[in-house]
Each structure stands twice: as C-alpha cells, then as structure tokens.
Amino acid sequence: MTYTIQQNKTQENSCKVSYHRPFEKCFISNVIVTMFLYSLCSSSKPFENYNILGKNTQPNLFPFLTGHNMESFPNFFINKKPGQIENYNQTGDDLPILFYNFKKAGYTTVFYEDLPKYALFNFLTFGFRKSPADFYARPVVLSEAYKYLSQITESGKDLCVGSKSKIENMLEDWGSKLFSGKKANNKPPIFSFLYTSEYSHTDLNQASLLDQPLLNYYKNMLKNDDNTIFILFSDHGFRVGGLFSDTIQGKFEHMLPLFRISFPNKFIEEFPEAYENFKINRKGVTTPADIYASLVHLLDLRPDGEKGIQEGVGDRGSGLSLFDSPKMSSKSNCKVAKVPLSLCGVADWTPFIRPKDPSQKESIVNLFPKKHPNNSQDTELFKNLSQNIFQTKLANICIKKINDRATEQNTNLCENWTFKSIEMGFYTKIVDSLVIKLSISVNPVKSFGKFDCALEVKDMNDFDQIEVIDLIRTSKYG
C-alpha cells in the first residue's frame, strides 16, 4: 500500500504491498534477495507479535482496511441463496474503508487485487456501487481474467499480462508509474494498496517469482522517493493443504504472518516522538485492527511543536495506534488484544502429542524444546493430557462437533465421521483459560477427514465445561 502523511505543507506517500498466505520464515527463504535488501534498511522493523484475527483473508483484511471485524457489517455479506436475498442495503460504499479516509485528506488512492473471484470486497458480498479508489484495478483484472476462464476459479494458470508478468504489471503500472513525477508535477500524495494472492495461494514455491520484480520496485522507490512509508505484509500464513500445513511449524506460523514496515528518514526526523512510540508499541500483541488505527492516526500527525487535527479523516476503529503514547505493552496476551484464543500464535504452547513422522523431528526440536512443568499443578495437567483415555475423550468431543456442524450445513455425508487418530496436540494457558489444540484424522479418511480442533477447558474434571471454540478442515477448503 502507499499512504501519505500530513506534514506541514508536505505529505508522505505510503506504499503497502500485501501477499496472500506467506509468513516470515518461509517468505524470507523464498524471496531472499528482496528480504535481504529490505533488512539492510535501518528503519525496516519486523513485527514478532503480529497475530491474525481470523483463519482466512477476509477476517484479517477487513479489520486492516475498516478497523472492525466482519461481524460489524452483517448486511454486507450474502448469507442466503440467490433469489432469497433481502435487505440489499449495504455495499462497500457504506463501509469505513481506509481509501475514503485518505481521499478526504487529499490523497490519490490506488486499489489492486489480482484474483478477482476472491476479491476482498466482492467475495460473497454486494460489492460496490462506485469505485472505492481513484485507480481501481478490478475492471482491468476481470477483463484479463476472462481471456483465460480458468483464472476465475483457479490461480497459477497464467501469470502474464501481455508481455509482462502479473506482478510486474501490478508493481510498475499500478505502482511506480503512478508515483513517478509526483514531486516535479506537484501531484497529490498517494495511498496505494497492492494485493497479490495468485502467486502464493496454492504454491508457496511460486513466491520466488515475486523476487526480482519486488526487488526492482523497492530499489527504485529508495532511489527516487524519500517520502514513502513502505509496508510488506501477508494476510495469514499457509493454512490448508500441502505437507507444510501438517507440520508443527506450519500449524503456528499460520497465525503469525509476515509484517514489516519501513519509514523514510524524513518521517523519523520530523516525528521522533511518534516513531519512538511505534518502536515500543510494536513489541506488544499487534493485530490488523491496530494497523488500521495507526494509518488513520498518521493523517493527524504534525511535526513536533505543531498542533492540529486533520478534520474528517474518521475514527480509528477498534484498534490502538502504534504511534500513540505506549499502550500496546498492555496488550500482553491474546485476550486483551481480542485475538480468538484458538488463533493465538504468540502464546507459549506446549506439545503433549508429537508427530510420529520422523521428517518433522528437526522442526520439533527447533520450535518446541523438551519442557518440564514448572509446578505441581502443571505437572498434573501434563500427566492428564498425556493419558490416551483423556485424549480420546477430547477427540470425541471434537468429532461430535464436526458431525453436528455437517448436519447443520446439510453436508451430504454417507456416514458420520468417527475418530481415527490424533496427529498432534498442544496446550497453553491464556489468563484463566486452558486452550487445547488437536490435529485429528477421522474415518472415512477418503472424505477429506483431517481437522484442527481447538477446545477451551473450564474444568479438567467436568467435560460439560469443555467447549469447542474452533474447527478447521485442513485437508480441504470448506
């Protein structure tokens, strides 16, 4: 994305480039040249505690771009069958999207997505009446996609637009060219959100194709523009399908996606207090809603010694700004940060069932060294969780929930799923809650029977107090 900050009579650009599914470790290994250069920039800051708020794209990018979760806009989503839709009364035009905040502040706005079938504000929604940005790529991307009908349903079939790759088209035609000559021609500042999912959605190895184009884009930006805040991030990590999602590392990096931000020296010099606050606050548990709050706050910033508020840019939503006096340090756990407990990647998870696959030995050693309970209470807890009879009871609670949900959704199953095995198991304590995560295989396996099940335990001696708080089918979308 690109966004600009009000500074005296000057404004800064901000460019944000987003990727679907990559996470920090995998992305660095596959896009090493770009990430190496990016890390050389002294003002580039990673977020070690940036945690997702939902399992897939929409639950994470909605709070990123609107400041609120999806449940805040119930009339925007199509929950009924075609022909039964009622209350056609909310489109994207009615949402507090960041583009509108920056537009009111005098910015030129840019919005690009490369996989139109699953576009953020169009997938299972009513879309827009009017273009949400000054430069809106959807009509062009749809036109290109219909040349290759497979593009509407699948990714990776054709990654070219004419003689260019799609990533080059995005970065050059919707990025660099719009920025070029901005200073000389006294053009308004730019807020740009560039989002690619086609390269990495189904094949993490394809992320390497982003390397050289992104490197060229970033080097060109550093060379020609000292007024841009650059954010490189992912909506979430690898979640469904593929061998990596069945590893310990894959289970947890899904919840901790890539997020890095680079500030120009001009920003650091003119806003030293805000920058120092940012460096402290980023160490707390950070969510997409906090990024929204921070970006709106940028529109209100003035150089030290000057006062004033930019009128009409909107509120900061449900998050906390990273540029405010240090508050994020109080967000020390997922409950305070309003992160679903089942998705709390920053928690201290302890494995009590380890994968039997020898190929996972290295990741087990690296991520989860052998732990010993710290007190008698933890010792008793670990002992209970390690018993096969207790694990089977937990698994059957999950299986019942799976079958109940399948019945509710009228899933056409020939037979109910039954418990086969537990592949992995972890637990953590978050404030007064004990959270258990199980990776379960069920019978019949041919019906895509692999699930991640999260349970919140109120009382270890009372199974009526154990609640399934999340289910994810990991072998298939849906």
Side-chain angles (χ1 to χ4, degrees):
M1 290 181 206
T2 306
Y3 84 94
T4 308
I5 305 165
Q6 182 76 36
Q7 298 186 12
N8 271 341
K9 295 182 179 179
T10 63
Q11 292 176 307
E12 291 197 16
N13 294 307
S14 153
C15 181
K16 300 177 187 166
V17 180
S18 172
Y19 296 91
H20 182 78
R21 294 175 79 162
F23 32 82
E24 184 85 8
K25 292 182 180 178
C26 176
F27 196 81
I28 289 177
S29 64
N30 278 287
V31 196
I32 189 65
V33 178
T34 298
M35 293 308 297
F36 176 70
L37 174 67
Y38 195 65
S39 298
L40 290 180
C41 182
S42 61
S43 58
S44 170
K45 300 296 182 183
F47 281 63
E48 295 181 1
N49 295 316
Y50 182 71
N51 206 109
I52 62 175
L53 288 172
K55 290 175 281 191
N56 51 30
T57 299
Q58 283 182 318
N60 290 301
L61 290 190
F62 255 78
F64 193 109
L65 288 174
T66 70
H68 301 277
N69 59 30
M70 294 168 59
E71 288 71 26
S72 301
F73 314 108
N75 293 330
F76 181 59
F77 296 92
I78 300 173
N79 296 315
K80 298 185 178 183
K81 295 180 180 179
Q84 299 179 337
I85 297 173
E86 300 174 1
N87 299 322
Y88 192 109
N89 59 0
Q90 190 172 38
T91 64
D93 312 80
D94 307 311
L95 306 184
I97 304 174
L98 268 176
F99 302 112
Y100 306 145
N101 301 76
F102 281 88
K103 183 67 175 175
K104 289 178 181 178
Y107 286 67
T108 296
T109 54
V110 183
F111 185 20
Y112 180 101
E113 295 176 281
D114 67 354
L115 199 57
K117 179 178 173 63
Y118 302 110
L120 177 62
F121 294 104
N122 299 88
F123 181 61
L124 300 179
T125 73
F126 293 117
F128 296 98
R129 298 186 193 96
K130 300 177 182 179
S131 173
D134 296 307
F135 294 89
Y136 185 37
R138 182 168 176 80
V140 176
V141 174
L142 274 174
S143 175
E144 190 65 30
Y146 275 109
K147 292 180 181 178
Y148 309 94
L149 292 180
S150 59
Q151 288 292 85
I152 301 300
T153 56
E154 299 180 47
S155 63
K157 295 295 184 182
D158 191 287
L159 297 175
C160 294
V161 178
S163 61
K164 290 183 179 180
S165 67
K166 288 189 174 180
I167 186 63
E168 288 174 322
N169 176 65
M170 182 185 84
L171 294 174
E172 294 176 12
D173 296 350
W174 295 86
S176 300
K177 288 183 180 179
L178 294 177
F179 279 84
S180 63
K182 184 181 72 66
K183 288 184 179 179
N185 299 320
N186 198 28
K187 294 180 181 178
I190 298 175
F191 174 84
S192 174
F193 187 92
L194 310 177
Y195 178 67
T196 176
S197 58
E198 191 159 8
Y199 282 81
S200 54
H201 186 267
T202 56
D203 185 355
L204 284 178
N205 290 320
Q206 283 191 166
S208 61
L209 298 176
L210 304 172
D211 185 7
Q212 195 62 46
L214 184 57
L215 175 62
N216 294 340
Y217 177 80
Y218 188 62
K219 286 173 67 176
N220 182 63
M221 187 189 71
L222 292 178
K223 179 180 177 181
N224 299 313
D225 195 335
D226 61 353
N227 209 29
T228 293
I229 295 176
F230 184 84
I231 300 176
L232 181 69
F233 73 101
S234 173
D235 51 0
H236 58 83
F238 202 72
R239 179 172 70 91
V240 174
L243 296 176
F244 187 78
S245 62
D246 290 331
T247 66
I248 290 181
Q249 185 168 328
K251 295 295 182 190
F252 287 88
E253 287 202 2
H254 156 59
M255 300 179 282
L256 300 169
L258 169 76
F259 193 98
R260 300 178 73 91
I261 183 169
S262 176
F263 293 95
N265 290 331
K266 182 176 181 180
F267 177 90
I268 298 171
E269 293 168 0
E270 295 200 26
F271 303 106
E273 183 178 349
Y275 184 66
E276 288 303 314
N277 290 342
F278 162 80
K279 290 197 296 183
I280 296 171
N281 285 328
R282 72 182 179 87
K283 297 177 182 178
V285 181
T286 310
T287 70
D290 299 320
I291 305 304
Y292 176 91
S294 303
L295 296 178
V296 173
H297 186 184
L298 281 170
L299 295 171
D300 292 339
L301 285 179
R302 294 294 183 275
D304 286 3
E306 293 191 18
K307 302 295 181 181
I309 297 296
Q310 179 76 31
E311 295 182 359
V313 297
D315 64 48
R316 299 180 188 175
S318 61
L320 295 177
S321 170
L322 295 160
F323 300 106
D324 264 334
S325 56
K327 295 179 181 178
M328 302 296 290
S329 56
S330 65
K331 296 175 69 173
S332 56
N333 62 70
C334 287
K335 276 197 171 182
V336 177
K338 300 179 181 178
V339 173
L341 299 185
S342 61
L343 299 176
C344 186
V346 300
D348 183 19
W349 294 88
T350 300
F352 62 93
I353 303 174
R354 294 170 179 266
K356 299 179 178 60
D357 185 349
S359 66
Q360 296 196 41
K361 181 177 180 181
E362 183 177 353
S363 64
I364 292 172
V365 172
N366 290 339
L367 267 158
F368 295 100
K370 293 290 185 181
K371 293 184 178 181
H372 299 281
N374 297 323
N375 52 53
S376 58
Q377 184 179 10
D378 287 345
T379 300
E380 186 66 22
L381 171 61
F382 191 88
K383 181 179 178 182
N384 286 337
L385 290 174
S386 299
Q387 295 177 1
N388 288 335
I389 187 171
F390 190 81
Q391 294 171 8
T392 301
K393 287 182 178 179
L394 290 175
N396 283 328
I397 292 174
C398 293
I399 298 298
K400 182 179 184 305
K401 188 69 172 181
I402 293 170
N403 285 319
D404 287 348
R405 186 170 294 182
T407 301
E408 292 170 4
Q409 297 178 356
N410 297 317
T411 304
N412 186 21
L413 291 177
C414 297
E415 57 184 306
N416 281 344
W417 280 306
T418 58
F419 173 56
K420 179 184 179 185
S421 62
I422 301 177
E423 309 299 330
M424 285 181 271
F426 311 89
Y427 73 89
T428 189
K429 292 180 179 178
I430 304 174
V431 190
D432 55 350
S433 294
L434 173 67
V435 182
I436 297 174
K437 296 190 74 166
L438 301 175
S439 294
I440 302 173
S441 288
V442 300
N443 291 314
V445 177
K446 64 182 180 180
S447 60
F448 303 103
K450 280 192 174 184
F451 295 86
D452 281 352
C453 176
L455 308 99
E456 184 176 3
V457 183
K458 304 292 186 181
D459 184 346
M460 293 296 293
N461 297 312
D462 185 356
F463 278 88
D464 290 333
Q465 298 299 312
I466 298 180
E467 178 185 359
V468 176
I469 57 176
D470 198 12
L471 281 173
I472 303 177
R473 189 192 305 193
T474 59
S475 51
K476 180 184 178 183
Y477 275 111

